[in-house]
Amino acid sequence: MGLYSKQDLKDSQELYQNCEFISKKTRSIYAWRAALWVRYCKEHSLDFSVTEDKLINFLDWLFEIDLVNKINTKKSYVPDILRDHMGSVICLWRIQTGNNPDLV
């Protein structure tokens, strides 16, 4: 299996489906990145809701699966890759909280 399955991507797309505060194009990009969040949650028998503890563990997991080396290109740097993937999950948190930018 690659970084995630087709079903992980489909599940991720559904999470962003009704989000109105980001464009359709951005939703598509975020869903692609958040497919790893879906895979992480499935592997750890968790629901897809975002919490601070899950975010911390997700970041650790991204290092465990060696994400950076699997998708690294000459134009990508570790902080950029991690920022992009975490940003997609933070967006899910905002969807969850009704677009409240304060992550409480």
Side-chain angles (χ1 to χ4, degrees), residues 6-82:
K6 287 181 183 181
Q7 186 60 48
D8 294 338
L9 180 58
K10 184 178 178 182
D11 292 343
S12 178
Q13 289 168 335
E14 289 177 11
L15 294 173
Y16 290 95
Q17 187 173 13
N18 296 319
C19 178
E20 296 180 6
F21 61 87
I22 56 175
S23 71
K24 285 185 179 185
K25 182 179 180 181
T26 301
R27 273 184 255 166
S28 176
I29 294 167
Y30 278 15
W32 170 78
R33 292 177 183 152
L36 281 171
W37 171 258
V38 169
R39 176 180 163 203
Y40 166 78
C41 290
K42 287 178 180 178
E43 282 187 8
H44 294 86
S45 301
L46 303 168
D47 61 23
F48 301 144
S49 65
V50 182
T51 65
E52 189 174 349
D53 287 340
K54 284 184 191 176
L55 275 175
I56 292 166
N57 293 330
F58 176 63
L59 182 58
D60 289 341
W61 180 79
L62 291 177
F63 281 102
E64 286 174 20
I65 66 166
D66 199 23
L67 169 73
V68 173
N69 287 323
K70 288 182 179 173
I71 66 170
N72 197 14
T73 66
K74 293 183 184 202
K75 296 179 183 178
S76 298
Y77 300 99
V78 173
D80 297 334
I81 293 169
L82 296 175

